[in-house]
Amino acid sequence: MPNRISRRSLLGAAGASAALAPTIASSQGANSQGAAMADNDKIGFAIVGLGKLSLGQLIPGLKVAKGAKLAAVVSGHPEKARRVAAENGLPADAVYGYDDYDRIAKDPRIDVVYIVLPNSMHAEHTIKAFKAGKHVLCEKPMATTTADAEAMIAAAKAAKRHLMIAYRCHYEPQNLDVMRRLRAKSMGKVRQINTTMGRQADLSDPSDVWRLDGKMSGGGALGDMGVYGVSAARYLLNEEPIAVQAWAQTDRADPRFKETEDLINWQFRFPSGVIANGSTSFAYAPTMAFEVICEQGRLDADPAAFYGGNRLTVIKGGQAQPPIPAPPSDQFAREMDWMADVVRGKAPMVSPGEEGLQDMRLMQAILESAAKDGATVKTDWGYKRAVDPAAVVDVPGKA
């Protein structure tokens, strides 16, 4: 296949750019502008899984984090793990395999375990980490089934440890800016949201092979890219959908889609009357964008969820203002610093396991509706976000 682009390369395609123009009030929390802590005072992270995200984003992010540090690596490839450890100044006994993973219980250097494995492995290694007495930061989607997600949440409660899901957009400056604009009703009420999240998957890329495997991924494009749109509609509005309709279109002759759906479109209905249209695909041009249409204008975030280079265009009175680049920041450092301060008791939990479970349930409802050719599925389960990111997470450079 000619277009060799993975989610990780898509998200990291654009570099970070200039500072955000509008003034945004900051709040106290893990990402406030302060000096980095002494190394001995930083919260130690064990990275479980040494794939593209870990090597390209997480370990570099820990090098610039203010209150978090790399303490150990866990991998099924011993030579690779030893090499990565040596490159990052870790001693030999900070290298773990999946066969001796339980040994982390006796390692006081490890406070948080960051799960960066194929989705089907999240629950097993999260629960093991809780049994070892560690806190957990887990990549999204948090699991492949709602039952596994519920088991992860129960394990966290039983261990009296924190479970955070890696919703980095909760801490990303541009997304926070849009959330705050919407809370302030700067362009009147929101009427409609459109999210488009997808790319071309490639069977020659090992990281895409498992994403196209129904059992390992749990949902193909929907779980990999669509989860960004499902989550975005919710955090942009700070509301939960009460019903969904969805449709799927998949070419089964395409070898990529033997076990998962390809193009999925859905429509959420919210209590306020807002309609949110979402789309995801593993067979269309790479895009990660959202549009918020209000009574008096429009907010276009394109890109909206890259690792860097996100841009916001404000259209009001029929006139588009110059695009606003997100301020330079390492999204992963911000996310891990936030988790570190949650562990310290200095920041509220913004992205708990319950957030991941809500998205799991909504994605399940999308697939259920699509299987019934757009039948309405009720989603008013009574869930309410515990903490609004717009109310507590700061933005770099804002006093």
Side-chain angles (χ1 to χ4, degrees), residues 81-386:
R82 287 192 290 268
R83 173 178 56 80
V84 172
E87 290 171 352
N88 289 277
L90 296 180
D93 65 350
V95 176
Y96 294 85
Y98 300 131
D99 55 345
D100 67 344
Y101 180 62
D102 295 340
R103 189 167 57 87
I104 64 173
K106 298 179 180 179
D107 193 336
R109 298 167 297 188
I110 300 172
D111 302 293
V112 177
V113 172
Y114 195 156
I115 308 295
V116 202
L117 295 166
N119 305 337
S120 61
M121 302 172 71
H122 287 182
E124 175 189 356
H125 287 83
T126 291
I127 292 170
K128 282 186 176 182
F130 284 133
K131 288 181 177 179
K134 307 302 181 181
H135 304 280
V136 175
L137 176 56
C138 181
E139 269 301 317
K140 61 190 176 303
M142 69 182 289
T144 55
T145 67
T146 55
D148 276 353
E150 289 167 347
M152 294 161 70
I153 293 170
K157 291 179 179 177
K160 297 182 179 180
R161 293 294 184 268
H162 295 291
L163 171 60
M164 175 170 157
I165 309 304
Y167 287 106
R168 60 184 171 80
C169 289
H170 290 172
Y171 312 93
E172 193 276 325
Q174 176 181 276
N175 281 269
L176 288 163
D177 179 21
V178 175
M179 284 184 245
R180 288 181 174 129
R181 290 173 186 264
L182 298 180
R183 306 292 186 274
K185 294 182 170 57
S186 62
M187 292 193 291
K189 294 181 180 178
V190 178
R191 299 307 312 279
Q192 182 173 312
I193 291 176
N194 302 312
T195 64
T196 309
M197 308 283 177
R199 60 180 176 86
Q200 287 283 348
D202 183 357
L203 282 172
S204 68
D205 184 336
S207 66
D208 272 357
V209 172
W210 71 257
R211 288 183 170 88
L212 291 162
D213 182 306
K215 291 183 179 180
M216 293 189 75
S217 71
L222 181 61
D224 190 59
M225 301 294 288
V227 65
Y228 283 89
V230 171
S231 178
R234 298 175 48 243
Y235 65 68
L236 289 171
L237 289 171
N238 199 30
E239 279 190 85
E240 299 302 325
I242 57 175
V244 63
Q245 290 179 277
W247 301 264
Q249 181 63 43
T250 304
D251 178 5
R252 294 301 180 188
D254 188 322
R256 294 175 294 182
F257 305 117
K258 292 181 178 180
E259 299 182 12
T260 60
E261 297 293 345
D262 170 28
L263 175 63
I264 302 177
N265 286 269
W266 63 89
Q267 189 172 78
F268 285 144
R269 182 159 53 89
F270 286 86
S272 62
V274 175
I275 298 295
N277 299 303
S279 170
T280 191
S281 173
F282 263 166
Y284 63 38
T287 179
M288 295 195 78
F290 64 69
E291 174 189 44
V292 184
I293 304 173
C294 303
E295 293 173 307
Q296 300 156 16
R298 197 169 82 239
L299 297 170
D300 287 348
D302 188 4
F306 279 1
Y307 293 162
N310 295 321
R311 295 192 310 168
L312 175 66
T313 301
V314 178
I315 300 98
K316 197 168 185 179
Q319 298 295 318
Q321 300 174 10
I324 305 165
S329 66
D330 187 307
Q331 295 177 36
F332 295 93
R334 285 172 60 80
E335 176 184 73
M336 291 184 286
D337 269 337
W338 193 274
M339 178 62 171
D341 262 13
V342 169
V343 170
R344 293 187 185 94
K346 295 184 178 180
M349 176 60 83
V350 173
S351 313
E354 288 78 6
E355 273 293 291
L357 175 60
Q358 176 72 348
D359 280 345
M360 291 294 303
R361 297 182 73 186
L362 288 169
M363 289 189 290
Q364 185 178 67
I366 287 170
L367 292 175
E368 179 183 343
S369 176
K372 298 176 181 178
D373 196 27
T376 298
V377 175
K378 299 295 185 181
T379 60
D380 190 8
W381 302 304
Y383 177 74
K384 183 175 176 59
R385 186 187 303 273

Side-chain angles (χ1 to χ4, degrees), residues 31-46:
N31 295 309
S32 57
Q33 301 303 298
M37 296 180 176
D39 195 65
N40 289 340
D41 295 328
K42 292 183 177 182
I43 296 295
F45 279 66

Side-chain angles (χ1 to χ4, degrees), residues 5-11 140 199 211 224-225 228:
I5 184 165
S6 69
R7 178 176 78 168
R8 305 306 181 198
S9 60
L10 166 62
L11 297 176
K140 61 190 176 303
R199 60 180 176 86
R211 288 183 170 88
D224 190 59
M225 301 294 288
Y228 283 89

